[in-house]
Amino acid sequence: MRDQLSALVERVRSVRATMLKPFLSTLEIYRGLDFWLSSADMAARLKEIDRRIATTPPQDIPRLWAEIPFDVFSLLAFHRLPQYPNLLAFFPAWPSAKVQAETVGATGTKLQFMTNAFIRSLVRGAQAHLPRPLSEARVLDYGVGFGRNVRMLSKYVPAGNLYGVDPFPPNVALCQQLGLKAHIHACDSYPQHMPPALAGTRFDLIFLFSIFTHLSEPTHKRVLHVLHEGLADDGVLVVTVRPREAWDVLESPERERLRQDHDRKGYAFLPIEIAELGTVDGEPTFGESTMSLAYVEQHWTDWRVVDMDLNLMDPYQLILFLKKKSA
């Protein structure tokens, strides 16, 4: 598995300087891709879905999207065009560009491309390692934010099977305000168990995008324990972690000390105080963190890594797919 990681990281390093920067700088060109939403090739299909979606039982809605390419679905979700009034009602509203930037560090087309890249990886891994189709899976977004990933998953998963939790109360309120079609609940920043509303619920797929990249070492261990309780025995856990190289781009006067921490124990953490997220033994639960694959293999004793992925759109997020060791 480490050899796979080394190959992936080396691939990113070799192409990043020549490909990634110019690609990101030309993202604005892709705003014109929404012509697909009214093209002759797609318009008839989209009009038919628009006609049927309001009367289709929620559990059957993913079937309506089966023949629609994922990127077309994504364009609909991001643009919410009025010529498809029932689809406009189906897709939740988006927060302001300011909120998007403050929450995930990207807006507009860049946010769309980054989101699409992760969802493609998530769906591929889930389909490869789950014993049932996504349309029948119960899915939890742990750290849902304003729900950008849940929106995209609604192509594959009925709204009744989509769940999200977040420790930051404004995010929970925002999801509800925007009309996110999922079960959204608050959770503790240092949890002992799943939220009471989810007690006893077992999920087939739990994913955490850019959550373990921000947790203190004690907090991430506590969250792992809770996730183990909430995941079905044959379920899949998907997380992202940052490599040591992330400290090359994360601004901090403690950068060298953090690199040394990572080299010494495989985990480095720069705390950031956010009152709503609390502290544990005087240390904030939230901040910036990096974690090595060797650390995962040594310390995540209840889990086994079954797959991994990496996207050049977001090269400092290594995507790990895990199952319970007892499974």
Side-chain angles (χ1 to χ4, degrees):
M1 191 63 72
R2 281 199 202 108
D3 290 342
Q4 288 177 274
L5 175 60
S6 297
L8 283 168
V9 171
E10 187 57 36
R11 195 172 106 208
V12 171
R13 284 175 176 165
S14 66
V15 302
R16 197 163 156 256
T18 57
M19 185 181 113
L20 185 58
K21 186 175 180 180
F23 177 66
L24 291 175
S25 69
T26 59
L27 278 177
E28 292 304 307
I29 295 172
Y30 292 88
R31 290 189 180 278
L33 287 181
D34 58 3
F35 74 82
W36 277 110
L37 301 183
S38 56
S39 73
D41 293 320
M42 286 293 165
R45 291 179 173 85
L46 295 179
K47 285 178 181 177
E48 178 63 11
I49 295 174
D50 185 69
R51 183 184 69 82
R52 296 173 57 191
I53 198 166
T55 57
T56 297
Q59 67 271 21
D60 294 331
I61 286 179
R63 296 180 188 174
L64 296 180
W65 298 112
E67 296 183 1
I68 300 299
F70 173 68
D71 280 357
V72 171
F73 179 89
S74 172
L75 286 167
L76 282 166
F78 272 83
H79 290 266
R80 304 180 71 246
L81 298 183
Q83 63 260 44
Y84 303 115
N86 293 319
L87 296 184
L88 184 64
F90 172 77
F91 289 109
W94 287 87
S96 68
K98 181 175 183 291
V99 170
Q100 292 178 39
E102 290 174 347
T103 305
V104 298
T107 64
T109 307
K110 182 179 179 181
L111 175 63
Q112 181 179 7
F113 276 49
M114 292 171 65
T115 303
N116 288 8
F118 173 69
I119 293 298
R120 285 185 186 281
S121 293
L122 180 67
V123 169
R124 178 201 64 78
Q127 290 173 336
H129 298 287
L130 279 177
R132 60 193 58 83
L134 267 176
S135 59
E136 299 174 10
R138 185 180 285 121
V139 180
L140 173 65
D141 183 348
Y142 196 103
V144 66
F146 59 78
R148 63 178 174 125
N149 290 313
V150 165
R151 296 158 193 268
M152 299 300 109
L153 278 178
S154 62
K155 181 183 191 303
Y156 307 98
V157 183
N161 285 359
L162 284 171
Y163 295 76
V165 299
D166 202 284
F168 194 50
N171 284 343
V172 176
L174 183 59
C175 285
Q176 295 166 346
Q177 176 188 335
L178 296 172
L180 194 69
K181 291 178 173 60
H183 308 281
I184 305 298
H185 304 281
C187 66
D188 293 332
S189 59
Y190 190 81
Q192 299 303 311
H193 302 284
M194 283 287 186
L198 301 181
T201 303
R202 295 294 176 265
F203 294 94
D204 302 295
L205 176 65
I206 301 178
F207 67 93
L208 297 84
F209 180 80
S210 199
I211 302 301
F212 283 179
T213 58
H214 291 289
L215 298 185
S216 70
E217 190 173 12
T219 303
H220 103 270
K221 289 180 177 179
R222 185 67 240 167
V223 171
L224 267 179
H225 178 77
V226 170
L227 296 175
H228 198 275
E229 288 183 349
L231 188 70
D233 288 342
D234 59 357
V236 175
L237 173 67
V238 184
V239 306
T240 65
V241 297
R242 285 192 187 125
R244 179 187 189 276
E245 288 77 8
W247 297 118
D248 296 340
V249 295
L250 291 169
E251 295 292 336
S252 170
E254 299 183 66
R255 182 180 288 171
E256 190 54 39
R257 189 267 300 174
L258 292 162
R259 290 190 183 108
Q260 292 172 3
D261 284 352
H262 186 103
D263 292 340
R264 179 170 51 86
K265 62 178 183 177
Y267 201 106
F269 178 66
L270 177 68
I272 300 173
E273 290 195 27
I274 297 180
E276 293 89 343
L277 298 182
T279 62
V280 175
D281 296 330
E283 180 182 62
T285 61
F286 181 87
E288 304 285 358
S289 65
T290 60
M291 189 188 318
S292 70
L293 188 58
Y295 179 96
V296 171
E297 293 172 338
Q298 180 180 354
H299 294 278
W300 294 16
T301 54
D302 292 331
W303 303 92
R304 57 190 174 95
V305 177
V306 297
D307 205 347
M308 66 173 64
D309 206 352
L310 188 64
N311 295 308
L312 294 178
M313 275 302 307
D314 204 351
Y316 294 100
Q317 299 272 1
L318 177 65
I319 306 168
L320 302 180
F321 299 80
L322 304 105
K323 301 197 83 167
K324 294 180 177 180
K325 277 193 175 175
S326 57

